[in-house]
Amino acid sequence: MRRAPIVLTVVLVSSLGCNTGPGPAVESGETSDTSTTGDGDGDGDGDGDGDGDGEPAEITLEWIEATPELRLLRGDEVLLSFGPNAFALGEVAAINDSSSYDPLFVEPDAWRIVASAQTLTNTPEQIEATLTYTSGATAQLIVDRLAPGRYEARWTPNPGGPVHAMLRLAPQVDAEEGFYGLGELFDQPEHRGTLRALALEFDPTLESSNNEAHVPVPFLTGTRGWGLYINDDHVSSFDVAKTASDTVIATVGTGPDTPSGLHFYLFAADHPLDITGHYYAVSGYPHVPAPWALGPWIWRDENQDQAEVEADIQTLRDLDLATSGIWVDRPYASGVNSFDFEPAQFPDPQAMIDQAHAMGLRFALWHTPYLDADDPAVAALRLEAEDNGYFPPDTALLTSNWDEPIDFTNPAAYTFWQDQVQLYTSMGVEGFKLDYGEDVTVGINGVRTVWSFADGSSERTMHKHYARLYHRAYQELLPDTGGFLLTRTGTHGDQANVDVIWPGDLDATMTRHGEVFQRFGSSYTGVGGLPAAIVAGLSLGPSGFPLFASDTGGYRHSPPTPETFVRWCEYSALMPVMQIGTSSNDVAWEFDDTVLAAYRELTRLHLRLFPYFWTHIAALSDGGRAIARPLGLAFPELGVHPSFDYMLGDALLVAPVVDAGAVSRAVTFPPGRWIHWWTGEIVDAAGPGPTIQMIDAPLGRPPLFLRAGQLVPLLRPTIDSLAPTTNPGIEPGQVDSYATAPGRLTVRTSAGPDAGLTLFDETVLSQASSDATIELAVSPGSEFAAGVSFEIVALGMAPSGVSDQLGELEQLDPAALANVERGWAFDSGVLQIKLETGAHQVVVVRR
C-alpha cells in the first residue's frame, strides 16, 4: 500500500536567489504595440497575481537545513515545499533483473525518508546538501539557478549502504489548485485526483487494450504558477493530489540505474501559461512545420490507385475547397516500407506528386520503422538489415504486424534507413505521417519485456527514447524551408523533432474516453471520439507539444455520422493544424450538400486564420505559451476547469459542441465582454468568477467568441492554399495561393480594452477605445504590404466619421466598398474600413 506523505510545517531561514522573475506578459487590456501574447488571467495588471500592482513577483528558492526543507516561492507565497518525505528512496533487498520497476505494479520493500541534512553550499546560485535517511543511507542534492524562475536539480544516492530501486519526489502543493501537463490524455486535461501512468500500459478495460499513453511527458504545471519537470526516461507515475489533496507524488522506477540519481527542474512564473517557456529553455524549443502545413490537409485511409489521388486533387480545386496538402496512407507501396510505389496502382508517382504541387498542395506519405520478414517486396532490404545488424540485438513483445523495428541507436542502421527515405524526398515528398514505433515497452504487470540496443541501452529508457530517434531520422531529411512531420508518439524533448501530434485511432463518434457505446450491433468501451480529441489537444499544449491534429471524423468504427463529421470539422478548424480523414475514406463531397457547405466554410475559416496562428507559433520561441489553452490554465483565478472550453491564443474563446444531437452549448466565460464570431451578439461577463451561459450552436457554427478589443488578423476570403503553385499554366484563378501573393490583410476587432499585436512579419496593429472614438493603427511588415481592411464588430450604430492621417474616408455602401482601395461602410453592426498600402492611424468617431 502507498503511504501518505508526511506534511511538515517549518519556518524560513535562508534564501537562494534574489532576482526577479520574467517580465510580465502584456495583458489583453493594456496598450502595447509589440504584444504577441495576452495576460490571460483576467486581472488586468499583466503580472498574473491578481493584486493589481503590475509588478512581477520575486522568485526565490529557500533551503532550511534544520527541517530539512526546500521551498520554491513567488514573493511570500510558497508554491512548492519539499520536506523530509519529498526525497524518498525506494529500498529493496536486491535488484530484481526481471522486474520492470513500474510504479503501477511494483513497490519497494520500504520507502526511506530524510532524517537530517548537512548544508555544503547555500549561495544565490547554488544549494548543495547531503541528505541522511532513516536507514542510514545518504544522498546528495544539488540545485543550481539557471535563470530567473528556473532551477536545475540533481538528487543522487551515495554509494554504499542499502540497495535502492525507485526514487520519489513528493512536494506539498496547494490543496485547491489545478494541474496541467503530463502529455497526451483523453479523459480530462486537468489532473487533480488522478494517478497518471507515464508509459504505454496494458489496459484490458479499453477496446484498444492499452492506456493510450502515446505521448508521456513528465512535466507538470500547477495553476499557481510552478512547474516540475523530471528529465528521466525511466518508467514513472504521477499521483496528482490523489493520495493527499496537498501533495503531488512522482515515482520513478529507476531500477539498476538508481545510483545515477534523478535529474529534475523547478520552474516558477507569475502566470502558469509561462511555465512552458521555462520547460522549452531546458528541453528544446518546438520544431514547427513549414507555414503551408497550417492549411487543411486531406487523406484517405486506403487509396485505390493513382487515378483516385489525382481525381481528389482535381475535385478539391473544382469544388473550391480550401486545402494546402494531401497525404497518401497505406497501401501505396509494393510492401510496407519497400520505399517505392506499387507499379500497378501507381504507374507514374512522380506525375502524381507534380500534379499536387501544381495545384497548390504539398505531398506527404504514411510510414513506419519496420521491414516485414514475410513480405517478398522488402526481402532484399530485410536481408541487408539482418546481415549488418540493423535490428535490436534483443527484442520482446512486438506490437506491430511487421516484426521488430530498426535500431536507430546503431549509426549505420540510422544512415541505412535515411538513405531509403531519401528515395521519397528526392521525388518531392515533403512530409510524413509516422505511425507505430511503440513496440518497446517496459513490461507487463511489473515483469520486464527485455530489449537491448546497439548503444547498450535497454527498454528501461528506450521505451521513451526510441520515439526521439525515430522522429529525428525523418525530420533531418525534410526541406530546409520546412516540412510536415505528423507523429503518433512522442515524449519530453521530442518536441524538437515533431511538428504535429495526432492521437491515433479515436472512435468515429461523439463519445467520451472510457464510455460504453453501441456501434453496428456491438458494444465497446471506447478510446473516445470527438471529446477525447479535444482533451488530447488541450493536454498536449501545456506539455510542450503546441500543435495537434486529430483525424477529423475519427477512425475506429467509421464512418462517422454527418453530424459527427461536421462537429469534428468545427473543432479541427479552430486548431492551428487541420487534417481531415477517416478509416472509411470519408471526404466531404461524398456527404450531402449541407455537410459540404459547412465543410467549405469551416476549412476556409481555418485557412484565413493563418496569420493569427503563425503569429502565435512564432512567439513560441519567445515566451512559449500554449496556443490552445485550457480555460482553467488561462484563467486560474476562476477556479474552474472545464474540459472542452479553451482559449485559442489571446483573442478567441472556443467551446466545441461535444454532445450528439445538441444545438446549444453551456459556455464558460471569463470576466469581460465577448463577441459572438458569427452573430456579433455580446456576452457581458461581469465576474469576478466565471459566467456560464447557454449559446445556440447550429450545425456548422460552433460557439466562437472574440475577446473585446483584441485583434484577429485574417487572410483574404478567397484564399485556397498556403502552398505555392508550381505550374503557371493552370487555369487562371483556379488556385488562389497565399504563397503567390499574401494580398490584403483583414483584421477583425471591436471596441474594448486597448490592445496591440505584432504579426510574424512585423506588421504592427493596435486598437484603443473610448466613449468618443475608436483609434486603429497599422504599420505594414514584410508580407502584408498590400493594404488592410478592418472589421469592427458589435457596434450599435454607424460612426459619424472615419479618418486617417490623409483625411476623411468616404462612406460607401458595402457593395461599392469591395471595388475601391479606400473608404468605409456600415452594415448590421459591422464597420468595414479599407485602407490602401502603407502605415495608417485611423480615428472612428462614435456618435
Side-chain angles (χ1 to χ4, degrees):
M1 175 178 289
R2 300 183 187 276
R3 296 189 178 120
I6 302 169
V7 178
L8 301 176
T9 303
V10 296
V11 295
L12 306 179
V13 297
S14 65
S15 172
L16 169 62
C18 58
N19 294 51
T20 60
V26 179
E27 206 275 334
S28 300
E30 295 181 303
T31 301
S32 170
D33 60 4
T34 59
S35 169
T36 57
T37 59
D39 182 323
D41 62 7
D43 62 22
D45 63 9
D47 64 358
D49 60 10
D51 60 12
D53 58 13
E55 293 295 326
E58 184 180 54
I59 305 298
T60 58
L61 196 65
E62 298 183 340
W63 168 248
I64 306 164
E65 180 182 277
T67 310
E69 183 179 19
L70 185 71
R71 285 183 166 188
L72 180 68
L73 298 98
R74 184 182 56 228
D76 294 330
E77 181 184 13
V78 179
L79 300 177
L80 290 176
S81 172
F82 293 81
N85 64 304
F87 297 101
L89 299 177
E91 185 178 313
V92 295
I95 293 294
N96 179 359
D97 193 55
S98 67
S99 174
S100 68
Y101 290 104
D102 185 338
L104 284 192
F105 304 101
V106 180
E107 281 279 352
D109 298 330
W111 283 106
R112 304 301 188 185
I113 65 172
V114 177
S116 63
Q118 179 185 4
T119 304
L120 304 178
T121 306
N122 189 1
T123 73
E125 299 303 319
Q126 186 182 78
I127 286 173
E128 181 176 3
T130 299
L131 309 180
T132 300
Y133 285 80
T134 53
S135 62
T138 62
Q140 297 304 117
L141 177 65
I142 301 174
V143 187
D144 291 302
R145 178 183 177 275
L146 302 181
R150 188 183 311 147
Y151 299 92
E152 180 179 26
R154 294 185 182 274
W155 167 38
T156 311
N158 290 321
V163 177
H164 304 109
M166 304 180 83
L167 299 172
R168 173 175 285 179
L169 290 174
Q172 186 176 348
V173 298
D174 184 85
E176 296 183 356
E177 70 180 311
F179 308 95
Y180 290 87
L182 298 183
E184 182 183 57
L185 283 304
F186 295 98
D187 55 355
Q188 61 188 59
E190 195 277 316
H191 304 301
R192 173 170 284 279
T194 66
L195 176 63
R196 298 302 196 187
L198 270 66
L200 197 66
E201 306 274 8
F202 176 65
D203 183 354
T205 66
L206 293 178
E207 181 192 358
S208 63
S209 297
N210 68 74
N211 66 343
E212 297 290 329
H214 303 287
V215 191
V217 181
F219 166 46
L220 185 69
T221 293
T223 54
R224 289 188 303 147
W226 59 264
L228 170 63
Y229 165 40
I230 298 178
N231 183 23
D232 191 282
D233 283 346
H234 291 89
V235 62
S236 61
S237 69
F238 274 66
D239 177 320
V240 190
K242 178 178 175 65
T243 298
S245 64
D246 62 351
T247 308
V248 168
I249 306 171
T251 307
V252 185
T254 43
D257 302 323
T258 303
S260 297
L262 203 62
H263 180 207
F264 65 97
Y265 295 87
L266 302 176
F267 308 133
D270 289 309
H271 196 283
L273 285 174
D274 295 319
I275 295 298
T276 317
H278 286 302
Y279 170 75
Y280 289 149
V282 299
S283 68
Y285 284 89
H287 192 282
V288 297
W292 42 257
L294 269 66
W297 284 72
I298 193 170
W299 60 282
R300 291 180 187 262
D301 191 50
E302 294 181 353
N303 279 107
Q304 296 178 18
D305 51 28
Q306 179 173 335
E308 183 180 56
V309 175
E310 292 177 344
D312 285 345
I313 292 170
Q314 187 62 51
T315 300
L316 288 167
R317 296 310 178 214
D318 290 345
L319 294 179
D320 192 31
L321 301 177
T323 319
S324 285
I326 188 169
W327 76 69
V328 177
D329 217 292
R330 73 179 178 102
Y332 59 85
S334 300
V336 172
N337 300 337
S338 55
F339 295 96
D340 64 356
F341 287 88
E342 210 290 314
Q345 275 185 287
F346 296 87
D348 190 354
Q350 189 64 64
M352 173 180 63
I353 296 170
D354 291 345
Q355 184 201 14
H357 290 166
M359 289 294 197
L361 299 174
R362 301 294 89 187
F363 191 89
L365 293 173
W366 174 92
H367 226 252
T368 63
Y370 308 100
L371 294 171
D372 187 352
D374 297 324
D375 191 339
V378 299
L381 289 173
R382 175 80 194 190
L383 181 62
E384 181 179 355
E386 288 177 338
D387 288 348
N388 289 282
Y390 292 163
F391 296 111
D394 295 295
T395 63
L397 179 68
L398 300 178
T399 58
S400 78
N401 296 320
W402 307 296
D403 297 300
E404 69 272 54
I406 291 292
D407 184 353
F408 288 113
T409 73
N410 180 339
Y414 193 92
T415 300
F416 162 77
W417 198 255
Q418 286 194 323
D419 288 344
Q420 312 313 312
V421 175
Q422 284 179 304
L423 297 174
Y424 286 133
T425 58
S426 65
M427 298 177 70
V429 173
E430 301 117 314
F432 292 93
K433 175 186 181 181
L434 298 184
D435 208 346
Y436 290 87
E438 296 180 273
D439 306 82
V440 186
T441 55
V442 294
I444 298 177
N445 297 334
V447 178
R448 288 182 69 191
T449 45
V450 180
W451 289 69
S452 68
F453 293 85
D455 69 346
S457 61
S458 74
E459 83 290 342
R460 294 192 187 278
T461 55
M462 196 57 69
H463 75 105
K464 283 192 174 77
H465 189 51
Y466 189 86
R468 300 188 194 101
L469 297 174
Y470 173 26
H471 301 153
R472 188 183 307 154
Y474 285 79
Q475 185 60 259
E476 289 175 347
L477 300 180
L478 296 182
D480 292 338
T481 54
F484 179 79
L485 196 64
L486 179 75
T487 74
R488 182 176 188 159
T489 62
T491 190
H492 58 114
D494 201 22
Q495 72 276 358
N497 307 310
V498 171
D499 295 330
V500 186
I501 293 288
W502 114 91
D505 302 343
L506 299 185
D507 298 307
T509 64
M510 297 179 73
T511 55
R512 287 159 170 76
H513 180 71
E515 181 178 341
V516 177
F517 65 95
Q518 299 289 321
R519 190 74 165 160
F520 307 127
S522 298
S523 179
Y524 303 93
T525 302
V527 174
L530 173 58
I534 297 168
V535 169
L538 294 182
S539 63
L540 281 167
S543 303
F545 287 92
L547 302 182
F548 169 85
S550 59
D551 298 337
T552 299
Y555 193 87
R556 294 177 187 270
H557 311 297
S558 289
T561 65
E563 178 193 27
T564 297
F565 183 75
V566 173
R567 290 302 191 195
W568 214 309
C569 284
E570 293 172 2
Y571 162 64
S572 296
L574 296 173
M575 291 289 282
V577 178
M578 183 182 194
Q579 60 100 346
I580 305 125
T582 73
S583 66
S584 51
N585 304 317
D586 300 292
V587 287
W589 55 90
E590 294 176 358
F591 288 95
D592 60 31
D593 290 344
T594 300
V595 170
L596 181 59
Y599 176 89
R600 178 180 288 109
E601 184 173 16
L602 291 165
T603 51
R604 187 80 56 184
L605 171 63
H606 175 83
L607 199 56
R608 292 195 69 196
L609 283 166
F610 166 74
Y612 181 74
F613 289 143
W614 199 251
T615 293
H616 282 81
I617 288 174
L620 289 170
S621 61
D622 183 22
R625 289 187 167 197
I627 300 170
R629 305 165 182 173
L631 206 63
L633 187 65
F635 295 90
E637 70 278 6
L638 297 180
V640 296
H641 301 278
S643 291
F644 309 115
D645 298 24
Y646 62 96
M647 289 295 296
L648 184 59
D650 301 323
L652 298 175
L653 172 62
V654 186
V657 175
V658 295
D659 294 315
V663 293
S664 62
R665 168 77 147 78
V667 179
T668 302
F669 292 94
R673 295 173 71 244
W674 302 87
I675 297 137
H676 199 296
W677 185 268
W678 310 103
T679 68
E681 295 175 273
I682 298 172
V683 174
D684 204 341
T691 295
I692 299 176
Q693 185 167 319
M694 289 298 298
I695 301 297
D696 289 340
L699 196 63
R701 294 292 177 92
L704 171 63
F705 290 84
L706 171 67
R707 193 176 186 180
Q710 288 286 292
L711 302 128
V712 176
L714 300 162
L715 297 182
R716 59 188 178 277
T718 59
I719 195 79
D720 296 313
S721 177
L722 300 173
T725 57
T726 59
N727 183 356
I730 63 174
E731 183 179 343
Q734 189 171 18
V735 182
D736 185 0
S737 170
Y738 168 83
T740 301
R744 173 181 289 273
L745 180 70
T746 297
V747 181
R748 181 173 291 197
T749 188
S750 76
D754 300 355
L757 183 66
T758 297
L759 305 192
F760 64 90
D761 76 328
E762 301 301 322
T763 293
V764 180
L765 304 168
S766 66
Q767 179 279 138
S769 298
S770 68
D771 291 339
T773 63
I774 301 171
E775 298 182 11
L776 306 169
V778 56
S779 176
S782 59
E783 294 198 21
F784 296 110
V788 64
S789 295
F790 283 100
E791 296 177 354
I792 306 177
V793 297
L795 283 181
M797 61 181 65
S800 60
V802 179
S803 62
D804 68 357
Q805 72 279 7
L806 301 178
E808 289 286 331
L809 277 71
E810 181 181 4
Q811 181 179 2
L812 303 166
D813 64 63
L817 186 64
N819 300 316
V820 300
E821 291 295 304
R822 179 179 173 85
W824 67 274
F826 182 83
D827 183 45
S828 302
V830 179
L831 172 61
Q832 299 182 58
I833 303 171
K834 287 186 71 175
L835 300 166
E836 65 273 42
T837 185
H840 296 271
Q841 294 181 339
V842 181
V843 178
V844 177
V845 180
R846 308 173 77 173
R847 296 183 186 274

PDB file of all heavy atoms in Angstrom, residues 176-192:
ATOM      1  N   GLU A 176      -6.082  23.232  -3.349  1.00  0.00           N
ATOM      2  CA  GLU A 176      -7.198  23.523  -4.244  1.00  0.00           C
ATOM      3  C   GLU A 176      -6.769  23.845  -5.671  1.00  0.00           C
ATOM      4  O   GLU A 176      -7.624  23.945  -6.554  1.00  0.00           O
ATOM      5  CB  GLU A 176      -8.018  24.693  -3.688  1.00  0.00           C
ATOM      6  CG  GLU A 176      -8.694  24.381  -2.357  1.00  0.00           C
ATOM      7  CD  GLU A 176      -9.550  25.530  -1.854  1.00  0.00           C
ATOM      8  OE1 GLU A 176      -9.561  26.594  -2.506  1.00  0.00           O
ATOM      9  OE2 GLU A 176     -10.195  25.359  -0.816  1.00  0.00           O
ATOM     10  N   GLU A 177      -5.496  24.034  -5.947  1.00  0.00           N
ATOM     11  CA  GLU A 177      -5.085  24.429  -7.287  1.00  0.00           C
ATOM     12  C   GLU A 177      -5.289  23.298  -8.284  1.00  0.00           C
ATOM     13  O   GLU A 177      -5.466  22.129  -7.925  1.00  0.00           O
ATOM     14  CB  GLU A 177      -3.631  24.879  -7.295  1.00  0.00           C
ATOM     15  CG  GLU A 177      -2.602  23.779  -7.079  1.00  0.00           C
ATOM     16  CD  GLU A 177      -1.191  24.317  -7.097  1.00  0.00           C
ATOM     17  OE1 GLU A 177      -0.855  25.072  -8.036  1.00  0.00           O
ATOM     18  OE2 GLU A 177      -0.407  23.996  -6.172  1.00  0.00           O
ATOM     19  N   GLY A 178      -5.248  23.647  -9.569  1.00  0.00           N
ATOM     20  CA  GLY A 178      -5.364  22.674 -10.640  1.00  0.00           C
ATOM     21  C   GLY A 178      -4.002  22.339 -11.209  1.00  0.00           C
ATOM     22  O   GLY A 178      -3.005  23.023 -10.950  1.00  0.00           O
ATOM     23  N   PHE A 179      -3.961  21.278 -12.030  1.00  0.00           N
ATOM     24  CA  PHE A 179      -2.696  20.771 -12.550  1.00  0.00           C
ATOM     25  C   PHE A 179      -2.856  20.409 -14.028  1.00  0.00           C
ATOM     26  O   PHE A 179      -3.825  19.740 -14.402  1.00  0.00           O
ATOM     27  CB  PHE A 179      -2.247  19.543 -11.768  1.00  0.00           C
ATOM     28  CG  PHE A 179      -2.214  19.748 -10.276  1.00  0.00           C
ATOM     29  CD1 PHE A 179      -3.301  19.384  -9.496  1.00  0.00           C
ATOM     30  CD2 PHE A 179      -1.112  20.305  -9.666  1.00  0.00           C
ATOM     31  CE1 PHE A 179      -3.280  19.562  -8.120  1.00  0.00           C
ATOM     32  CE2 PHE A 179      -1.087  20.497  -8.287  1.00  0.00           C
ATOM     33  CZ  PHE A 179      -2.171  20.134  -7.516  1.00  0.00           C
ATOM     34  N   TYR A 180      -1.874  20.786 -14.838  1.00  0.00           N
ATOM     35  CA  TYR A 180      -1.909  20.530 -16.276  1.00  0.00           C
ATOM     36  C   TYR A 180      -0.567  19.989 -16.748  1.00  0.00           C
ATOM     37  O   TYR A 180       0.462  20.182 -16.104  1.00  0.00           O
ATOM     38  CB  TYR A 180      -2.283  21.804 -17.034  1.00  0.00           C
ATOM     39  CG  TYR A 180      -3.714  22.225 -16.833  1.00  0.00           C
ATOM     40  CD1 TYR A 180      -4.076  23.027 -15.749  1.00  0.00           C
ATOM     41  CD2 TYR A 180      -4.713  21.795 -17.689  1.00  0.00           C
ATOM     42  CE1 TYR A 180      -5.406  23.403 -15.544  1.00  0.00           C
ATOM     43  CE2 TYR A 180      -6.044  22.166 -17.501  1.00  0.00           C
ATOM     44  CZ  TYR A 180      -6.376  22.962 -16.431  1.00  0.00           C
ATOM     45  OH  TYR A 180      -7.696  23.327 -16.227  1.00  0.00           O
ATOM     46  N   GLY A 181      -0.598  19.351 -17.914  1.00  0.00           N
ATOM     47  CA  GLY A 181       0.608  18.789 -18.500  1.00  0.00           C
ATOM     48  C   GLY A 181       0.563  17.276 -18.519  1.00  0.00           C
ATOM     49  O   GLY A 181      -0.491  16.658 -18.707  1.00  0.00           O
ATOM     50  N   LEU A 182       1.732  16.640 -18.368  1.00  0.00           N
ATOM     51  CA  LEU A 182       1.927  15.189 -18.302  1.00  0.00           C
ATOM     52  C   LEU A 182       1.679  14.485 -19.631  1.00  0.00           C
ATOM     53  O   LEU A 182       1.590  13.268 -19.689  1.00  0.00           O
ATOM     54  CB  LEU A 182       1.064  14.549 -17.205  1.00  0.00           C
ATOM     55  CG  LEU A 182       1.364  15.009 -15.780  1.00  0.00           C
ATOM     56  CD1 LEU A 182       0.489  14.244 -14.790  1.00  0.00           C
ATOM     57  CD2 LEU A 182       2.836  14.823 -15.430  1.00  0.00           C
ATOM     58  N   GLY A 183       1.594  15.230 -20.726  1.00  0.00           N
ATOM     59  CA  GLY A 183       1.470  14.606 -22.028  1.00  0.00           C
ATOM     60  C   GLY A 183       0.039  14.471 -22.490  1.00  0.00           C
ATOM     61  O   GLY A 183      -0.866  15.172 -22.038  1.00  0.00           O
ATOM     62  N   GLU A 184      -0.165  13.540 -23.406  1.00  0.00           N
ATOM     63  CA  GLU A 184      -1.471  13.366 -24.049  1.00  0.00           C
ATOM     64  C   GLU A 184      -2.369  12.481 -23.203  1.00  0.00           C
ATOM     65  O   GLU A 184      -2.071  11.319 -22.955  1.00  0.00           O
ATOM     66  CB  GLU A 184      -1.275  12.746 -25.432  1.00  0.00           C
ATOM     67  CG  GLU A 184      -2.550  12.569 -26.224  1.00  0.00           C
ATOM     68  CD  GLU A 184      -2.284  11.880 -27.548  1.00  0.00           C
ATOM     69  OE1 GLU A 184      -1.731  10.753 -27.533  1.00  0.00           O
ATOM     70  OE2 GLU A 184      -2.618  12.468 -28.592  1.00  0.00           O
ATOM     71  N   LEU A 185      -3.467  13.045 -22.746  1.00  0.00           N
ATOM     72  CA  LEU A 185      -4.501  12.307 -22.007  1.00  0.00           C
ATOM     73  C   LEU A 185      -5.824  12.470 -22.734  1.00  0.00           C
ATOM     74  O   LEU A 185      -5.994  13.390 -23.536  1.00  0.00           O
ATOM     75  CB  LEU A 185      -4.616  12.825 -20.580  1.00  0.00           C
ATOM     76  CG  LEU A 185      -3.559  12.418 -19.536  1.00  0.00           C
ATOM     77  CD1 LEU A 185      -3.451  10.904 -19.434  1.00  0.00           C
ATOM     78  CD2 LEU A 185      -2.203  13.029 -19.787  1.00  0.00           C
ATOM     79  N   PHE A 186      -6.781  11.613 -22.436  1.00  0.00           N
ATOM     80  CA  PHE A 186      -8.039  11.626 -23.167  1.00  0.00           C
ATOM     81  C   PHE A 186      -9.280  11.808 -22.299  1.00  0.00           C
ATOM     82  O   PHE A 186     -10.364  12.021 -22.827  1.00  0.00           O
ATOM     83  CB  PHE A 186      -8.180  10.334 -23.973  1.00  0.00           C
ATOM     84  CG  PHE A 186      -7.165  10.186 -25.063  1.00  0.00           C
ATOM     85  CD1 PHE A 186      -6.034   9.418 -24.870  1.00  0.00           C
ATOM     86  CD2 PHE A 186      -7.319  10.831 -26.275  1.00  0.00           C
ATOM     87  CE1 PHE A 186      -5.075   9.291 -25.861  1.00  0.00           C
ATOM     88  CE2 PHE A 186      -6.385  10.723 -27.275  1.00  0.00           C
ATOM     89  CZ  PHE A 186      -5.247   9.948 -27.068  1.00  0.00           C
ATOM     90  N   ASP A 187      -9.138  11.706 -20.975  1.00  0.00           N
ATOM     91  CA  ASP A 187     -10.329  11.814 -20.132  1.00  0.00           C
ATOM     92  C   ASP A 187     -10.601  13.244 -19.691  1.00  0.00           C
ATOM     93  O   ASP A 187     -11.733  13.714 -19.711  1.00  0.00           O
ATOM     94  CB  ASP A 187     -10.222  10.891 -18.924  1.00  0.00           C
ATOM     95  CG  ASP A 187      -8.952  11.115 -18.108  1.00  0.00           C
ATOM     96  OD1 ASP A 187      -8.086  11.915 -18.523  1.00  0.00           O
ATOM     97  OD2 ASP A 187      -8.813  10.476 -17.043  1.00  0.00           O
ATOM     98  N   GLN A 188      -9.549  13.971 -19.260  1.00  0.00           N
ATOM     99  CA  GLN A 188      -9.703  15.363 -18.847  1.00  0.00           C
ATOM    100  C   GLN A 188      -8.320  16.008 -18.876  1.00  0.00           C
ATOM    101  O   GLN A 188      -7.322  15.358 -18.574  1.00  0.00           O
ATOM    102  CB  GLN A 188     -10.308  15.459 -17.436  1.00  0.00           C
ATOM    103  CG  GLN A 188      -9.459  14.790 -16.349  1.00  0.00           C
ATOM    104  CD  GLN A 188     -10.143  14.734 -15.015  1.00  0.00           C
ATOM    105  OE1 GLN A 188     -11.217  14.159 -14.884  1.00  0.00           O
ATOM    106  NE2 GLN A 188      -9.513  15.319 -13.998  1.00  0.00           N
ATOM    107  N   PRO A 189      -8.238  17.285 -19.247  1.00  0.00           N
ATOM    108  CA  PRO A 189      -6.923  17.921 -19.318  1.00  0.00           C
ATOM    109  C   PRO A 189      -6.379  18.340 -17.959  1.00  0.00           C
ATOM    110  O   PRO A 189      -5.170  18.556 -17.825  1.00  0.00           O
ATOM    111  CB  PRO A 189      -7.169  19.144 -20.209  1.00  0.00           C
ATOM    112  CG  PRO A 189      -8.624  19.453 -20.035  1.00  0.00           C
ATOM    113  CD  PRO A 189      -9.304  18.138 -19.806  1.00  0.00           C
ATOM    114  N   GLU A 190      -7.229  18.459 -16.957  1.00  0.00           N
ATOM    115  CA  GLU A 190      -6.788  18.831 -15.606  1.00  0.00           C
ATOM    116  C   GLU A 190      -6.714  17.555 -14.764  1.00  0.00           C
ATOM    117  O   GLU A 190      -7.591  16.698 -14.843  1.00  0.00           O
ATOM    118  CB  GLU A 190      -7.776  19.823 -14.993  1.00  0.00           C
ATOM    119  CG  GLU A 190      -7.247  20.549 -13.766  1.00  0.00           C
ATOM    120  CD  GLU A 190      -7.402  19.738 -12.493  1.00  0.00           C
ATOM    121  OE1 GLU A 190      -8.480  19.138 -12.286  1.00  0.00           O
ATOM    122  OE2 GLU A 190      -6.430  19.697 -11.692  1.00  0.00           O
ATOM    123  N   HIS A 191      -5.669  17.429 -13.923  1.00  0.00           N
ATOM    124  CA  HIS A 191      -5.318  16.130 -13.367  1.00  0.00           C
ATOM    125  C   HIS A 191      -5.612  15.924 -11.882  1.00  0.00           C
ATOM    126  O   HIS A 191      -5.314  14.845 -11.363  1.00  0.00           O
ATOM    127  CB  HIS A 191      -3.827  15.877 -13.589  1.00  0.00           C
ATOM    128  CG  HIS A 191      -3.402  15.965 -15.011  1.00  0.00           C
ATOM    129  ND1 HIS A 191      -3.929  15.165 -16.000  1.00  0.00           N
ATOM    130  CD2 HIS A 191      -2.508  16.770 -15.632  1.00  0.00           C
ATOM    131  CE1 HIS A 191      -3.376  15.468 -17.157  1.00  0.00           C
ATOM    132  NE2 HIS A 191      -2.509  16.436 -16.965  1.00  0.00           N
ATOM    133  N   ARG A 192      -6.114  16.909 -11.182  1.00  0.00           N
ATOM    134  CA  ARG A 192      -6.307  16.728  -9.739  1.00  0.00           C
ATOM    135  C   ARG A 192      -7.105  15.450  -9.458  1.00  0.00           C
ATOM    136  O   ARG A 192      -8.143  15.181 -10.062  1.00  0.00           O
ATOM    137  CB  ARG A 192      -7.013  17.947  -9.134  1.00  0.00           C
ATOM    138  CG  ARG A 192      -7.393  17.750  -7.657  1.00  0.00           C
ATOM    139  CD  ARG A 192      -7.859  19.029  -6.985  1.00  0.00           C
ATOM    140  NE  ARG A 192      -6.734  19.911  -6.666  1.00  0.00           N
ATOM    141  CZ  ARG A 192      -5.951  19.786  -5.606  1.00  0.00           C
ATOM    142  NH1 ARG A 192      -6.158  18.798  -4.750  1.00  0.00           N
ATOM    143  NH2 ARG A 192      -4.968  20.624  -5.396  1.00  0.00           N
TER     144      ARG A 192
END
